[in-house]
Amino acid sequence: MPVIKVGVLGARGRVGVEVCKAVQAADDMELVAQVDKDDPIEEIGKAEVVVDFTHPDVVMDNLRWCVEHGVHAVVGTTGFDEARLDTVRGWLDAHPGVNVLIAPNFGIGAVLMMQFARQAARFFDSVEIVELHHPNKADAPSGTARRTAELVAEARAAAGAPPMPDATTSALDGARGADVNGVRVHAVRLAGLIAHQQVLLGGGGETLTIRHDTMDRSAFTPGVLLGVRRIRDVPGLTVGLEHLLDL
Ligand SMILES: NC(=O)C1=CN([C@@H]2O[C@H](COP(=O)(O)OP(=O)(O)OC[C@H]3O[C@@H](n4cnc5c(N)ncnc54)[C@H](OP(=O)(O)O)[C@@H]3O)[C@@H](O)[C@H]2O)C=CC1
Ligand SMILES: O=C(O)C1=N[C@H](C(=O)O)C[C@H](O)C1
């Protein structure tokens, strides 16, 4: 069976290094390009599938280059809101046959945590999210926390759940976190951490906490390799690794 030619954008970054190692160790893949900041992006054109773990400020330019040059993309970089996703859909409409997977988190446990939060959201009065990351992280709140909040909000809306109780009338700016579709999201940046999230649900004399911890960045690579293996067969834009898992 022919191997998949893979390129990595952000190859010298914290996650990019792990992805390069995992691709090199995979029998069915060949690492044909490793591109980082200030390297010529043209190098990435050797690849059939590109993996992007760069920065929210540059990922759109990278992705447009890939789509316009007929290269499938598996994207872990964060910073995608609905407007950005619509822009990507527009590029893909103009380049049928090119596919893109964007996933806020490639960790299998993290994907399950998001799905469990979505399932549980309608059964509780209150849901809040606390995400905790290393202090070198570029964005806040995390892409995973934003996506979790969207899933929680969608599930509650579909179930006709009322707004969450909150009688706060006076607070310092930021004390109640960010409001993401009506769900409060709190971001902690702490030396020693990698990536962690708790979804707190409460009501009716009980609470439920759903917690996920990333202990090592190699946790992201099985999901990335799954995306690389499957992306050629999933037309257009796919958002979220859950669509490639038999959940
Ligand atoms: N979806 C998921 O599962 C995960 C997503 N992430 C996300 O991935 C992104 C990267 O995270 P992380 O690896 O920790 O970040 P790093 O800063 O460690 O790595 C990013 C790398 O990309 C490089 N870079 C910057 N601009 C470009 C460019 N135009 N072309 C190619 N390379 C470039 C950076 O170079 P320089 O340092 O010189 O700027 C750096 O080496 C973040 O958005 C993060 O949130 C992280 C973990 C998991
Ligand atoms: O920057 C990180 O480290 C991470 N970014 C992703 C996010 O913003 O959700 C995934 C994971 O949390 C690690």
Side-chain angles (χ1 to χ4, degrees):
M1 200 174 64
V3 296
I4 309 169
K5 291 182 186 236
V6 182
V8 177
L9 281 163
R12 293 193 289 275
R14 284 178 287 265
V15 183
V17 164
E18 294 296 330
V19 172
C20 289
K21 278 197 270 181
V23 170
Q24 280 169 322
D27 292 341
D28 57 343
M29 296 179 198
E30 183 187 358
L31 184 62
V32 295
Q34 300 181 58
V35 173
D36 208 89
K37 195 177 181 179
D38 300 332
D39 295 338
I41 196 169
E42 289 72 23
E43 185 69 7
I44 215 76
K46 294 177 187 166
E48 300 168 77
V49 179
V50 159
V51 177
D52 187 305
F53 279 88
T54 56
H55 191 284
D57 291 348
V58 302
V59 65
M60 289 300 275
D61 286 346
N62 289 345
L63 197 42
R64 186 175 56 198
W65 194 96
C66 290
V67 172
E68 287 177 351
H69 290 80
V71 182
H72 304 298
V74 171
V75 180
T77 307
T78 48
F80 285 89
D81 55 13
E82 263 316 305
R84 281 190 171 198
L85 294 174
D86 278 345
T87 302
V88 176
R89 285 187 190 100
W91 296 337
L92 292 174
D93 286 346
H95 295 86
V98 183
N99 306 332
V100 172
L101 167 65
I102 298 172
N105 203 311
F106 279 95
I108 306 297
V111 174
L112 290 172
M113 175 258 297
M114 287 189 264
Q115 295 303 314
F116 295 156
R118 180 185 59 77
Q119 259 186 295
R122 69 189 168 97
F123 297 106
F124 292 85
D125 298 335
S126 304
V127 187
E128 301 214 4
I129 297 169
V130 184
E131 59 95 327
L132 309 92
H133 281 82
H134 60 96
N136 297 314
K137 183 166 174 53
D139 54 333
S142 71
T144 306
R146 277 177 183 257
R147 184 66 189 137
T148 311
E150 287 166 9
L151 292 170
V152 163
E154 280 166 25
R156 290 177 68 84
M164 298 182 210
D166 180 357
T168 307
T169 52
S170 169
L172 280 180
D173 271 359
R176 293 288 295 116
D179 180 336
V180 180
N181 297 5
V183 181
R184 292 285 162 179
V185 179
H186 311 267
V188 175
R189 296 291 172 266
L190 198 70
L193 296 182
I194 295 185
H196 315 260
Q197 180 167 300
Q198 293 182 41
V199 184
L200 312 171
L201 304 106
E206 60 176 351
T207 67
L208 169 67
T209 303
I210 304 170
R211 178 174 177 121
H212 177 260
D213 295 281
T214 306
M215 316 303 283
D216 189 288
R217 290 184 177 85
S218 58
F220 301 119
T221 60
V224 171
L225 296 194
L226 174 67
V228 169
R229 290 189 178 105
R230 296 283 309 281
I231 189 62
R232 294 171 300 177
D233 305 323
V234 191
L237 176 64
T238 303
V239 181
L241 188 66
E242 61 272 22
H243 300 292
L244 304 190
L245 298 171
D246 193 15
L247 292 180

